[in-house]
Amino acid sequence: APPRLPEPGLPGDDPRDTPLPTFYGEEIDAETDSIIYVLDISCSMGDHYRLDRARNEVIRSFSALPESWKFNVICYSAPVYWLWRSTKAANPENKARASAWLLNWNAHSCTGTGPAVAKALSYRDNHSVVVLTDGHPNYGVPLPPKPGGHNNTQQQVLGAELHRKVIRDANLQGARIDMFGLDTTGPTRAFCQGVAADNGGHYVDVH
């Protein structure tokens, strides 16, 4: 009798033999064995131990990556800080270095989400970005002069749309961006949902 061929996987099955990364219990559908974490460390992340909780989840997530994967970590407030100039192998040494680097940061300053995610997208060989934020984007993308009759809420919405455009324009490789909103509501939640929808990802509420 001829040898029995393996049965094909179900539609949508991932043919790789390594598990996909998870973040707050959500499986991240990474196209390649690479992922970049983008963590908001703006001033509001210092409230209610948000930064401690978020940092612990980022460390838990990349600590579970197989060594065959690559990863990088970006933190942002007004400035954008990146750990490495390229994604690195998820080996024990690099995981330990990333953990120590993350633990050095304190919450400070404003929320430059657009430029931070654009920086993550500058790593063209990476196709999966995970973003965790709690605040409305308010830095790094110039707003036009406030027209007569515009209130602060309208300016917030306009600012968010400009940050979304910065991210869309930077995503030349068609990376998937999954957004995690930490205690977000209203315009901030809508912004996160919009970024995820623009870039083929999911939005997840985190509390």
Side-chain angles (χ1 to χ4, degrees):
R4 184 177 180 182
L5 298 175
E7 294 182 6
L10 295 173
D13 279 359
D14 193 318
R16 292 171 291 184
D17 58 1
T18 57
L20 291 172
T22 61
F23 200 68
Y24 284 101
E26 298 290 324
E27 193 173 75
I28 304 302
D29 190 14
E31 181 180 319
T32 60
D33 293 351
S34 174
I35 186 169
I36 295 178
Y37 301 89
V38 181
L39 176 61
D40 179 354
I41 58 168
S42 63
C43 194
S44 59
M45 287 291 287
D47 298 337
H48 308 294
Y49 302 101
R50 285 176 183 157
L51 181 54
D52 291 335
R53 291 154 47 202
R55 183 163 40 200
N56 288 343
E57 180 59 21
V58 173
I59 292 172
R60 185 213 60 76
S61 181
F62 68 61
S63 294
L65 293 174
E67 290 194 37
S68 58
W69 278 64
K70 293 184 177 182
F71 77 108
N72 203 349
V73 185
I74 290 173
C75 291
Y76 74 95
S77 51
V80 179
Y81 313 95
W82 54 94
L83 176 54
W84 295 301
R85 293 185 181 275
S86 62
T87 53
K88 297 290 186 181
N91 58 40
E93 294 79 12
N94 287 334
K95 290 175 180 178
R97 183 177 175 189
S99 297
W101 184 80
L102 269 174
L103 292 170
N104 277 330
W105 294 109
N106 294 314
H108 65 282
S109 195
C110 305
T111 310
T113 307
V117 179
K119 176 61 184 178
L121 293 167
S122 72
Y123 297 82
R124 300 295 183 203
D125 59 343
N126 179 76
H127 288 78
S128 180
V129 177
V130 169
V131 182
L132 177 62
T133 182
D134 78 327
H136 203 73
N138 58 14
Y139 186 86
V141 178
L143 278 171
K146 185 175 178 179
H150 263 218
N151 57 36
N152 289 335
T153 300
Q154 289 170 314
Q155 285 294 95
Q156 267 196 333
V157 171
L158 175 59
E161 288 301 315
L162 293 175
H163 278 257
R164 280 178 67 179
K165 184 178 187 304
V166 165
I167 295 167
R168 284 195 305 270
D169 290 349
N171 195 3
L172 300 180
Q173 69 269 43
R176 175 191 174 109
I177 303 176
D178 290 298
M179 299 291 295
F180 290 77
L182 184 53
D183 300 330
T184 55
T185 59
T188 304
R189 188 171 187 268
F191 163 72
C192 293
Q193 290 172 323
V195 172
D198 291 343
N199 299 280
H202 290 149
Y203 169 78
V204 178
D205 282 313
V206 176
H207 301 289

